[in-house]
Structure formats: structure tokens, C-alpha cells
Amino acid sequence: MSRPKHPNKDIEIAVKYAEVNGWRYKKSGKSAHAWGRLLCVLENREGCSMAVWSTPRNPVKHAQQIKRKVDQCIHDGGLDE
Ligand SMILES: [Zn+2]
């Protein structure tokens, strides 16, 4: 449960939305532009992942992209694959 708070409030809200839906934060290694990644409940390669930028040009839009990705995830846990 230790992840850095996102500096942008809209994106922070989107990240919390993802977490509520079972997604996890993962620190991203190399890129300085990336704040981190969000990974869905499926803990393998087939799972969804979403790069979260530190300072996207349009934070509101980026926040919407995060929420959309979460909504599109079909790996809800307990669903048939
Ligand atoms: Zn997924």
C-alpha cells in the first residue's frame, strides 16, 4: 500500500479509482517521465497495464484514460477466462 501520491489531483483521483477496482501500483524503472504503472488484478502478462505519466500535457484527459482502462478491464477476478 505504499505508493507515492501523484502530484496531479485529477490523476491521483483516477489512480485511487483504479486501486478501488483492484489495480496495483508498480514503480517504473527507467523513464523519468513515467510516474509508474498500474496493473490490473490479473498478475501476469495477460493482465492489463497502464503507464501513468508524471506530467502529461493534458492531466484531465490522462485521468480519463486511466479510468477508461480500468472500466475496460475484463479481469474482474472470479470471471471465466
Ligand atoms: Zn485486466
Side-chain angles (χ1 to χ4, degrees), residues 23 40 47-48 73-75:
W23 290 52
C40 89
C48 316
C73 172
I74 55 162
H75 310 117

Side-chain angles (χ1 to χ4, degrees), residues 32-80:
H33 299 293
W35 173 77
R37 294 189 77 79
L38 291 169
L39 306 172
C40 89
V41 290
L42 203 65
E43 306 200 14
N44 61 37
R45 286 173 177 280
E46 320 237 314
C48 316
S49 74
M50 168 93 201
V52 181
W53 306 113
S54 309
T55 52
R57 224 177 313 166
N58 188 334
V60 172
K61 196 172 174 190
H62 192 49
Q64 285 170 351
Q65 286 169 342
I66 294 168
K67 286 185 183 174
R68 196 172 309 134
K69 187 84 178 174
V70 171
D71 288 340
Q72 281 172 349
C73 172
I74 55 162
H75 310 117
D76 214 10
L79 288 181
D80 290 330

